[in-house]
Amino acid sequence: MSARRQRVGAYALSIDETGRVLLCRMSRRSRTPGTLTLPGGGVQHGEDPGDAVLRELAEETGLTGRVEALLGVHANVYDSDGVSIHGVRLLYQVTIVGGTLRAEQGDASTDGATWVAPDDLGGVTLSAHARHALELLAAASAGTSRS
């Protein structure tokens, strides 16, 4: 039996005034290099997830934000170097309030940050939780409910 672990993360879905989505590119250091994902990451022991999402946003993009709402949760199980990981991701709607867009500093899990137009999303590889967050936002905008 392989080792098992649970990982809780908090991720920011930010949309600018033109409808573009803020995304980060996974680095070679990650298990999915080149995949675009939401800014975010692991919640530290004792850290409030709402604080974690804003900390991760600043670390990965140089931007500061304000949490507007919890959109939902995305969970899955995946293998990482022989360890079964149960990933639980809290998906927040976050408004950008300041900062200057930049890539994450140092040898990190992401190596780029950019705004992507809605028409361009079909041509990129998105993480499962980024796609789920966009579906939740679309459902909320349409007045339907998904979890």
Side-chain angles (χ1 to χ4, degrees), residues 8-12 39-60 63-70 90 92-94:
V8 177
Y11 293 82
V43 177
Q44 298 172 359
H45 181 78
E47 184 178 30
D48 182 278
D51 293 337
V53 73
L54 297 177
R55 174 183 53 75
E56 288 284 346
L57 173 70
E59 288 175 6
E60 293 185 357
L63 301 174
T64 57
R66 178 181 63 244
V67 172
E68 301 296 344
L70 176 65
L90 306 172
Y92 289 93
Q93 187 171 1
V94 174

Side-chain angles (χ1 to χ4, degrees), residues 30-113:
S30 75
R31 66 183 185 84
T32 57
T35 298
L36 295 182
T37 189
L38 300 175
V43 177
Q44 298 172 359
H45 181 78
E47 184 178 30
D48 182 278
D51 293 337
V53 73
L54 297 177
R55 174 183 53 75
E56 288 284 346
L57 173 70
E59 288 175 6
E60 293 185 357
T61 69
L63 301 174
T64 57
R66 178 181 63 244
V67 172
E68 301 296 344
L70 176 65
L71 288 171
V73 177
H74 177 266
N76 67 345
V77 176
Y78 59 93
D79 181 77
S80 180
D81 295 326
V83 177
S84 177
I85 309 285
H86 176 211
V88 179
R89 297 167 197 89
L90 306 172
L91 306 171
Y92 289 93
Q93 187 171 1
V94 174
T95 297
I96 301 302
V97 297
T100 301
L101 186 64
R102 59 148 176 79
E104 188 169 12
Q105 306 298 297
D107 185 25
S109 61
T110 65
D111 62 9

